[in-house]
């Protein structure tokens, strides 16, 4: 329920950014035309994942966005009478999205957004057979609303639907630990198809 409310909030923000831009039509220079422009910024997703965002526009109507994220963690415990145990976890994500403007104003636009995210995760408990790895494929489709308070800075919000294709190719993990301490080799694959709401806020600094 909380995720749905957050998505609705972001959707209203997307429409709000577009309304602000539309209301200012004709009163400012055309800052929203970023043909050949390159931008660097940051965003926070609906799931709380923060990362960088690289953007480029081929034409005034069509551009690309590439979100990048990385997280790493390590925890060492000292059991009584035993050796130290270090657990580690990491996650790396990269995406490629296309954006097409369906409504355009001098200080903003409303665009269709669609693309793919690849997220790679790995963890190691520090114990025997305690390491796992996985790769997520996330397809996203939604709306992107953007407003330019200045020529070189924009604020945006995105909302839409995400389809998750999940792959697991390590023993254990989604299938559970099947080794039972023997010396056999195990391999497997699981596929889980689901849909979820997505949304984020962010900013972009433009170089043009």
């Amino acid at each position: 329920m909380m995720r749905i409310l957050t998505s609705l909030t972001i959707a209203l923000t997307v429409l709000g950014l577009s309304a602000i831009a539309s209301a200012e039509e004709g009163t400012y220079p055309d800052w929203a035309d970023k043909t050949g422009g390159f931008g660097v910024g940051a965003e926070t997703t609906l799931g709380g994942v923060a990362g960088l965002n690289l953007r480029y526009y081929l034409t005034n109507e069509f551009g690309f966005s590439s979100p990048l994220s990385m997280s790493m963690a390590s925890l060492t415990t000292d059991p009584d009478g035993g050796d130290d145990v270090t657990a580690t976890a990491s996650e790396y994500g990269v995406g490629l999205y296309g954006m097409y403007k369906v409504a355009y104003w001098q200080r903003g636009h409303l665009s269709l957004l669609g693309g793919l995210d690849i997220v790679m995760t790995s963890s190691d408990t520090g114990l025997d057979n305690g390491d796992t790895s996985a790769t997520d494929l996330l397809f996203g489709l939604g709306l992107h609303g953007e407003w330019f308070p200045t020529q070189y800075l924009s604020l945006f919000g995105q909302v839409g639907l995400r389809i998750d294709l999940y792959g697991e190719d390590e023993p254990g993990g989604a299938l559970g630990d099947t080794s039972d301490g023997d010396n056999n080799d195990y391999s497997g694959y699981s596929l889980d198809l689901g849909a979820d709401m997505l949304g984020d806020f962010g900013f972009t600094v433009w170089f043009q």
Side-chain angles (χ1 to χ4, degrees), residues 136-195:
D136 249 338
L137 298 178
L138 307 167
F139 295 89
L141 181 65
L143 291 175
H144 171 102
E146 190 163 17
W147 174 57
F148 289 78
T150 74
Q151 181 178 359
Y152 301 106
L153 176 68
S154 65
L155 308 176
F156 66 83
Q158 298 176 160
V159 67
L161 185 67
R162 179 181 65 187
I163 300 175
D164 187 357
L165 292 174
Y166 176 78
E168 171 65 70
D169 58 3
E170 293 291 331
L175 300 177
D177 187 0
T178 58
S179 62
D180 293 330
D182 59 34
N183 295 321
N184 295 327
D185 293 330
Y186 294 88
S187 63
Y189 184 83
S190 64
L191 179 65
D192 180 24
L193 177 63

Side-chain angles (χ1 to χ4, degrees), residues 43 49-54 66-70 92-95 117:
E43 63 181 69
V49 178
L52 296 176
N53 195 311
L54 308 178
S66 180
L68 306 172
S69 64
M70 179 184 69
Y92 303 92
V94 60
D117 284 294

Side-chain angles (χ1 to χ4, degrees), residues 93-155:
V94 60
L96 182 62
Y97 283 79
M99 293 180 292
Y100 182 78
K101 296 177 181 178
V102 294
Y104 177 80
W105 305 278
Q106 292 170 322
R107 293 189 66 183
H109 60 90
L110 182 65
S111 299
L112 293 177
L113 177 75
L116 168 70
D117 284 294
I118 300 177
V119 181
M120 295 163 287
T121 60
S122 63
S123 63
D124 188 348
T125 63
L127 304 175
D128 293 340
N129 299 322
D131 60 320
T132 61
S133 65
T135 299
D136 249 338
L137 298 178
L138 307 167
F139 295 89
L141 181 65
L143 291 175
H144 171 102
E146 190 163 17
W147 174 57
F148 289 78
T150 74
Q151 181 178 359
Y152 301 106
L153 176 68
S154 65
L155 308 176

Side-chain angles (χ1 to χ4, degrees), residues 27-51:
T27 62
Y28 288 92
D30 193 355
W31 292 342
D33 185 354
K34 294 302 177 186
T35 304
F38 175 74
V40 179
E43 63 181 69
T44 301
T45 68
L46 180 63
V49 178

Side-chain angles (χ1 to χ4, degrees), residues 75-92:
L75 176 65
T76 300
T77 57
D78 184 11
D80 292 337
D83 297 330
D84 291 351
V85 177
T86 300
T88 60
S90 63
E91 179 178 291
Y92 303 92

